[in-house]
């Protein structure tokens, strides 16, 4: 069972030495974000950590960032699984969803602020690209609901603080949060919306899953935790929010009310364009007595945003391929952590069972996901090891025979800078499938047979040469030599 609260998770992370407390007072308008940028830009993944800013100038509320997505290790700690079991944990959670449980009393409503008392500046909302973003932004779970079905959705849609009582939320066309708000505003009604800050970690990580419209991420979070997530009714809008969250912001989108949103530093590594987006009138702020403010570090990759989206959506794809599409030949999926798990590079490992099978799976992945580059390899390749994937590309991929180009793929313009045109009009994107599975019998590997390699390993140790752990790449090769 995974942690029921963000606090439990932060304690577990600290015990593992994966969380750093920073006691020096920091200015929310630039210091937490700029320090987090150094961590992602300078430190290798295995050295990164969650950042807990204990003293935020002018506030009694600490800021935490990067705890969920500093690295695969912090992410795995959030789900209480081993790093190599992350995909399996998501597959299990998706196959065993647990609906939430509605409770009357909730820690997230220990303090309730409504009416004229509401002021967004009572929260230490950071500026994430200091010197370039338009202002402070919420980067956390957004809750919306379909008016007609009553089914809720959770997604992360960055939301700009416009003034003390209004946010402008980047609910882009096609995104489920936006579709949900239209089901209200198209009928002339105000759409309810809420942000859950510092929710249970499984809720945060399920929120970035690309699920089909109508699937509520909270049921997958329940499946991951192994127990229903407690949800409580908001104080001023008709929505349920995670009861154990640190802070909840409630609001309404009124029909036709929009304003310019941005600029904001995006996950693709560039400042995004400014666009017209819905305005949210804030109706309440509720929180625990001593709340913790949690915000995701995004912007230039790698970042927390790219790490969590890649890891969550690899699990989702594996589940869809194996259990919804019946492609049980697929053994593993990995999404590179440089592009938000959205338009990035996905590597699929499989056991092809008929000619053209691997290309078919590659096309399927390209069609059912927003991913831009799909590489398919055999199951004897460690898809998390660049050198092994490169070797497969060099030794098993014949570009003129093994490439599928897919035209006219639609990506919203502000997500993929490579398709921005000089006139700022959207141009269509494209996708590529590279089939790097073996199509001919290339003979045995050019390594000595396994028994000789193992005898040599004993000799290595006897001589006292430097110790090592056998890399997965080497193991996969030696086992087949
Ligand atoms: C920090 C962060 C910021 C994000 N900002 C946005 C955003 O502003 N707009 C958007 O469409 N997706 C954004 N995403 C990606 C979505 O949250 C993600 O794709 C999610 O699955 C969308 O939910 P939906 O499929 O239910 O719409 C962001 C993700 C993260 C981690």
């Amino acid at each position: 069972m995974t942690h029921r609260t963000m606090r439990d998770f932060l304690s577990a992370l600290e015990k593992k030495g994966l969380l750093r407390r920073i006691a020096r007072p920091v200015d929310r308008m630039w210091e937490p974000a700029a320090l987090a940028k150094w961590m992602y830009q300078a430190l290798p993944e295995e050295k990164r950590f969650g950042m807990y800013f204990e003293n935020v100038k002018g506030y009694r509320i600490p800021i935490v960032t990067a705890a969920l997505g500093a690295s695969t290790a912090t992410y795995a700690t959030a789900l209480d699984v081993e790093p190599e079991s992350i995909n399996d944990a998501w597959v299990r959670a998706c196959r065993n969803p647990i609906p939430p449980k509605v409770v009357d009393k909730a820690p997230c409503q220990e303090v309730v602020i409504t009416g004229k008392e509401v002021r967004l500046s009572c929260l230490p909302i950071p500026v994430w690209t200091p010197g370039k973003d338009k202002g402070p932004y919420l980067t956390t779970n957004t809750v919306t609901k379909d008016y007609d079905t009553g089914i809720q959705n959770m997604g992360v849609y960055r939301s700009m603080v416009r003034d003390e009582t209004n946010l402008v939320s980047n609910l882009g066309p096609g995104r489920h949060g936006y579709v949900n708000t239209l089901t209200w505003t198209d009928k002339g009604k105000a759409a309810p919306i809420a942000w859950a800050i510092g929710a249970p970690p499984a809720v945060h990580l399920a929120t970035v899953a690309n699920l089909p419209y109508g699937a509520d991420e909270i049921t997958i979070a329940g499946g991951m935790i192994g127990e229903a997530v407690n949800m409580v009714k908001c104080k001023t809008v008709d929505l349920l929010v995670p009861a154990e969250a640190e802070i909840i912001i409630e609001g309404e989108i009124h029909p036709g009310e929009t304003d310019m949103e941005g600029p904001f530093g995006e996950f693709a590594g560039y400042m995004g364009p400014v666009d017209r987006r819905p305005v949210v009138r804030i109706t309440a702020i509720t929180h625990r007595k001593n709340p913790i403010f949690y915000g995701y570090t995004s912007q230039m990759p790698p970042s927390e945003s790219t790490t969590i989206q890649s890891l969550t959506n690899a699990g989702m794809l594996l589940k869809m391929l194996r259990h919804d599409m019946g492609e049980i030949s697929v053994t593993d999926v990995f999404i590179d952590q440089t592009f938000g798990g959205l338009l990035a590079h996905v590597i699929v490992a499989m056991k092809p069972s008929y000619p053209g099978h691997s290309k078919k799976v590659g096309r399927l992945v390209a069609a059912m996901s927003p991913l831009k580059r799909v590489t398919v390899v055999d199951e004897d390749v460690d898809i998390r090891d660049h050198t092994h994937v490169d070797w497969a590309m060099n030794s098993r991929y014949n570009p003129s025979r093994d490439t599928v180009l897919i035209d006219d793929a639609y990506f919203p313009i502000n997500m993929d800078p490579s398709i921005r045109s000089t006139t700022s009009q959207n141009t269509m994107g494209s996708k590529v499938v590279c089939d790097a599975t073996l199509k001919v019998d290339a003979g045995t590997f050019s390594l000595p047979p396994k028994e000789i390699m193992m005898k040599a390993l004993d000799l290595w140790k006897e001589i006292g040469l430097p110790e090592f752990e056998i890399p997965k790449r080497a193991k996969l090769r030696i086992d087949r030599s």
Side-chain angles (χ1 to χ4, degrees):
M1 201 189 286
T2 73
H3 316 285
R4 296 301 316 241
T5 66
M6 178 58 80
R7 286 159 190 243
D8 290 347
F9 160 59
L10 294 176
S11 305
L13 208 56
E14 198 162 15
K15 279 196 198 115
K16 284 189 172 182
L18 291 173
L19 183 79
R20 295 267 182 134
R21 285 177 183 270
I22 294 124
R24 181 194 177 279
V26 290
D27 179 350
R28 68 163 172 132
M29 302 304 271
W30 73 279
E31 285 172 319
L35 289 169
K37 296 292 179 286
W38 267 120
M39 185 181 70
Y40 282 102
Q41 293 306 308
L43 299 188
E45 191 191 337
E46 61 280 6
K47 294 228 163 117
R48 292 189 217 133
F49 43 82
M51 302 179 113
Y52 192 123
F53 296 95
E54 290 177 322
N55 291 301
V56 182
K57 287 179 192 165
Y59 292 89
R60 290 223 188 103
I61 304 174
I63 294 175
V64 180
T65 190
L68 292 160
S71 61
T72 307
T74 65
Y75 183 103
T77 305
L79 298 182
D80 208 9
V81 297
E82 292 303 317
E84 52 280 6
S85 306
I86 293 171
N87 273 355
D88 288 344
W90 281 123
V91 171
R92 227 180 6 258
C94 289
R95 300 191 75 205
N96 301 285
I98 300 179
K101 179 175 150 202
V102 181
V103 296
D104 295 332
K105 261 182 89 79
C108 70
Q109 295 178 336
E110 283 168 354
V111 177
V112 176
I113 306 165
T114 55
K116 289 209 162 48
E117 303 303 311
V118 170
R119 281 183 307 109
L120 284 167
S121 64
C122 75
L123 300 174
I125 306 174
V127 173
W128 292 104
T129 328
K132 292 192 177 171
D133 282 0
K134 171 84 175 165
Y137 266 82
L138 291 178
T139 53
T140 190
N141 316 297
T142 314
V143 187
T144 56
K145 178 157 109 173
D146 182 318
Y147 176 85
D148 301 304
T149 63
I151 298 172
Q152 293 201 164
N153 181 74
M154 294 183 78
V156 181
Y157 312 104
R158 65 174 193 245
S159 300
M160 182 185 88
V161 176
R162 191 184 75 176
D163 51 52
E164 283 291 16
T165 52
N166 292 282
L167 294 167
V168 187
S169 186
N170 185 37
L171 292 155
R175 309 301 274 170
H176 298 162
Y178 183 67
V179 176
N180 274 353
T181 58
L182 287 184
T183 64
W184 299 75
T185 53
D186 281 355
K187 297 180 181 71
K189 296 176 187 302
I193 184 163
W195 286 263
I197 299 169
V203 173
H204 273 265
L205 299 178
T207 293
V208 292
N210 284 312
L211 298 179
Y213 182 69
D216 186 351
E217 286 79 3
I218 207 75
T219 63
I220 308 298
M224 177 58 81
I225 295 170
E227 241 179 56
V229 176
N230 288 336
M231 299 286 272
V232 69
K233 223 171 161 309
C234 282
K235 291 290 178 189
T236 56
V237 293
D238 184 18
L239 285 177
L240 294 171
V241 285
E244 271 84 25
E246 295 289 327
I247 302 168
I248 302 291
I249 302 178
E250 304 178 11
E252 284 178 337
I253 296 174
H254 288 254
E257 271 186 30
T258 60
D259 203 346
M260 300 314 280
E261 184 270 327
F264 178 79
E266 290 196 333
F267 70 87
Y270 295 88
M271 295 304 294
V274 179
D275 236 324
R276 197 160 272 286
R277 293 284 185 254
V279 170
V280 185
R281 296 190 203 168
I282 305 306
T283 53
I285 295 173
T286 73
H287 58 79
R288 287 173 179 257
K289 277 197 187 113
N290 297 299
I292 298 167
F293 185 93
Y294 195 98
Y296 289 128
T297 298
S298 184
Q299 299 76 50
M300 179 58 81
S303 71
E304 181 166 36
S305 164
T306 61
T307 305
I308 62 173
Q309 292 194 77
S310 298
L311 291 170
T312 297
N313 284 309
M316 298 299 133
L317 255 184
L318 185 61
K319 187 265 176 183
M320 282 190 253
L321 287 166
R322 286 182 63 86
H323 299 286
D324 300 334
M325 308 287 166
E327 285 294 352
I328 51 166
S329 58
V330 173
T331 53
D332 203 1
V333 175
F334 174 74
I335 300 177
D336 87 281
Q337 294 179 13
T338 63
F339 221 68
L342 284 167
L343 311 176
H345 181 199
V346 58
I347 304 161
V348 178
M350 69 178 289
K351 280 189 269 191
S353 56
Y354 51 84
H357 193 184
S358 37
K359 261 191 193 166
K360 178 191 149 194
V361 166
R363 283 198 191 94
L364 196 59
V365 171
M368 66 195 237
S369 74
L371 294 154
K372 187 157 99 171
R373 290 185 295 138
V374 184
T375 300
V376 187
V377 297
D378 295 289
E379 54 145 5
D380 66 350
V381 174
D382 178 1
I383 57 177
R384 290 166 187 80
D385 180 335
H386 294 305
T387 62
H388 209 180
V389 173
D390 271 347
W391 170 81
M393 287 295 282
N394 290 331
S395 64
R396 298 176 177 181
Y397 168 67
N398 176 0
S400 70
R401 180 192 62 192
D402 298 329
T403 308
V404 182
L405 275 175
I406 299 166
D407 279 344
D408 292 336
Y410 174 74
F411 304 124
I413 185 167
N414 60 353
M415 284 198 183
D416 183 354
S418 75
I419 59 167
R420 279 183 203 161
S421 74
T422 45
T423 56
S424 233
Q425 294 301 304
N426 199 358
T427 55
M428 296 304 279
S430 58
K431 301 193 179 207
V432 63
V433 174
C434 299
D435 175 6
T437 58
L438 198 57
K439 284 106 197 155
V440 290
D441 183 0
T444 67
F445 289 153
S446 50
L447 275 171
K450 186 173 179 181
E451 60 274 18
I452 297 186
M453 287 302 283
M454 296 322 281
K455 262 203 282 181
L457 187 57
D458 292 338
L459 182 60
W460 178 283
K461 289 177 187 158
E462 190 191 309
I463 297 169
L465 293 172
E467 282 182 27
F468 58 78
E469 268 193 35
I470 304 177
K472 188 172 172 189
R473 174 185 69 244
K475 195 172 170 336
L476 284 165
R477 286 170 169 165
I478 291 162
D479 281 349
R480 289 165 176 75
S481 291

